[in-house]
Amino acid sequence: MFLPLIIMNILGIETSCDETAAAVVESGTKILSNIIASSAEMHAETGGIIPENAARQQVKSIVPIITSALEKAKIKNNKIDAIAVTSGPGLIGSLLVGIETAKTLSLLWEKPIISVNHLSAHLYANWLSNKKIPEFPALALVVSGGHTDIVLMKDHGKLKWIGGTRDDAAGEAFDKTARLLGLPYPGGPAISIEAEKYITKNPNIKLSLFPRPMINEKNYDWSFSGLKTAVLNKVKDKKLNKEEKQKTAAEVQEAIVDVLIKKTLRAAREYKPKSLLLAGGVAANTRLKEKFKAVISEHAPSIDFFVPPPKLCTDNAAYIASFAYFNHSPTPWQEISANPQLTIAGQV
Ligand code: KG4
Ligand code: ZN
């Protein structure tokens, strides 16, 4: 059962990792507010996320962030029709802060609550940012810090997983190699900035230093853990100068981008979707977007390509609310629990 169409304003709550986010979205497509507090700076000091620290920050931020989302949307709680909350995957302590807050509000305001899969919800950034909305069937690549999955969307709520990473996620590969290069957390944006400097200075140079594992295998899986080892072997016991660091960053980025694009394009040839969607934090990567656009216009021009603006690619609560509008019936609050291991297709 889907929510009746009269339900218009959904309050989304997202606390799966190091962002505390709340948003109000009207009819699944119009953002009335989208507020995010990130504890990334704190994690930059430790070179990565310490789950206990992330959860403590969530506790501090959740009430002010929800209050500010309602204020920015100029909406009172009696005009909220449902509350959508991320139930997984994610860090258990962080998830619980959002879930327990959502349950409390649901009981207090007497509003239905909708449990949301964070990974499938990432895709809905593509329903929030374009005048045009994606047509089905859509092929979707979700590339985030914890997951790299390719799915076929036949309709809302009809997702078929067709491949994914066998080890590290693409975002994780960016984060770990950035650390090896002495770049700050999160590594994706840091590598992208350094890589851009090198590519601007050397626009026609071939970037093929690092291996592209599984690129020619006839499946839709990836493997990124070897890249970290290859980078480690390249940089260990060396003090890279500025130029060498920029070149290595460009090589890392190109290796990740190449395998993501080649396999997604192969899936597009097989499944012949009407739309191709990118989502997740790594979809904010400029090189990935530019190369995707170029190969699609050359090899699959009939497919509509969608990629959200960077601030909707990374974690936020607007896509949580949008997903809830298009997909889910309310869940009895007693049945909502944190599922840290949830996969994109829903199994734990
Ligand atoms: O989707 P997301 O915000 O959180 C998860 O659900 O994991 O993704 C975060 C990941 C991090 O690994 C970060 O390094 C990566 O997205 N990321 C990027 C860029 N911006 C964020 N990776 C490459 N290029 C970027 N511009
Ligand atoms: Zn995410």
Side-chain angles (χ1 to χ4, degrees):
M1 188 193 78
F2 289 100
L3 284 169
L5 282 177
I6 47 160
I7 288 186
M8 298 291 280
N9 295 319
I10 298 187
L11 170 68
I13 299 176
E14 153 61 37
T15 64
S16 64
C17 191
D18 58 340
E19 271 91 19
T20 312
V24 180
V25 174
E26 186 187 296
S27 302
T29 53
K30 188 174 169 196
I31 299 176
L32 303 185
S33 64
N34 191 12
I35 311 290
I36 305 166
S38 171
S39 54
E41 268 180 34
M42 185 179 83
H43 306 303
E45 283 169 27
T46 45
I49 296 172
I50 295 176
E52 172 72 16
N53 292 350
R56 284 171 189 269
Q57 282 307 115
Q58 298 283 6
V59 172
K60 282 191 192 152
S61 303
I62 188 79
V63 172
I65 289 296
I66 293 175
T67 308
S68 145
L70 293 172
E71 279 171 8
K72 178 85 196 298
K74 296 190 175 55
I75 205 163
K76 294 257 186 297
N77 55 292
N78 61 355
K79 295 282 182 228
I80 293 291
D81 298 294
I83 300 161
V85 65
T86 302
S87 54
L91 304 172
I92 183 86
S94 289
L95 285 168
L96 282 170
V97 176
I99 290 173
E100 295 309 316
T101 308
K103 283 181 180 177
T104 308
L105 293 179
S106 156
L107 290 170
L108 209 61
W109 298 350
E110 298 179 348
K111 303 290 179 191
I113 184 167
I114 300 157
S115 163
V116 174
N117 177 327
H118 175 92
L119 288 173
S120 321
H122 258 297
L123 297 171
Y124 282 80
N126 289 292
W127 270 258
L128 289 164
S129 46
N130 300 288
K131 287 196 186 87
K132 224 164 129 180
I133 60 167
E135 268 191 74
F136 296 118
L139 188 68
L141 176 67
V142 183
V143 266
S144 74
H147 295 261
T148 298
D149 291 300
I150 184 160
V151 290
L152 188 66
M153 281 183 96
K154 292 188 183 150
D155 203 339
H156 296 298
K158 288 196 179 148
L159 252 63
K160 185 182 170 208
W161 182 88
I162 61 172
T165 182
R166 297 204 180 159
D167 41 56
D168 289 357
E172 200 176 350
F174 272 111
D175 294 338
K176 286 178 174 170
T177 51
R179 199 172 168 165
L180 293 174
L181 293 177
L183 297 172
Y185 172 87
I191 292 234
S192 159
I193 291 166
E194 294 307 306
E196 202 52 44
K197 291 178 193 160
Y198 184 77
I199 295 165
T200 309
K201 282 183 269 177
N202 306 281
N204 300 317
I205 205 144
K206 196 164 161 35
L207 296 164
S208 54
L209 180 65
F210 294 122
R212 271 72 166 157
M214 303 180 71
I215 196 163
N216 293 317
E217 285 184 22
K218 303 228 171 309
N219 53 39
Y220 301 116
D221 291 345
W222 292 278
S223 166
F224 293 106
S225 65
L227 180 60
K228 185 186 56 193
T229 315
V231 175
L232 179 65
N233 290 337
K234 208 80 210 158
V235 305
K236 82 172 164 222
D237 306 326
K238 282 192 198 124
K239 178 118 186 63
L240 300 186
N241 64 30
K242 213 164 75 182
E243 175 86 5
E244 287 165 337
K245 217 179 241 194
Q246 290 168 3
K247 180 179 188 319
T248 314
E251 292 281 7
V252 165
Q253 176 176 266
E254 208 71 0
I256 297 172
V257 165
D258 276 357
V259 284
L260 287 174
I261 292 184
K262 183 146 186 201
K263 289 218 149 165
T264 306
L265 197 67
R266 182 181 301 144
R269 287 206 183 95
E270 180 179 342
Y271 291 98
K272 302 185 177 41
K274 287 190 178 149
S275 321
L276 176 63
L277 320 181
L278 297 194
V282 179
N285 186 275
T286 308
R287 185 78 168 171
L288 181 71
K289 289 187 277 191
E290 281 173 358
K291 286 193 93 176
F292 248 120
K293 271 184 206 149
V295 296
I296 288 167
S297 76
E298 190 183 342
H299 298 286
S302 62
I303 299 177
D304 261 341
F305 179 58
F306 291 81
V307 56
K311 71 177 193 331
L312 290 177
C313 289
T314 45
D315 287 350
N316 67 84
Y319 62 66
I320 301 298
S322 174
F323 173 90
Y325 178 83
F326 287 108
N327 284 273
H328 270 285
S329 53
T331 322
W333 67 267
Q334 298 90 332
E335 288 174 21
I336 297 184
S337 58
N339 284 328
Q341 309 296 339
L342 204 65
T343 66
I344 192 162
Q347 312 91 327
V348 178

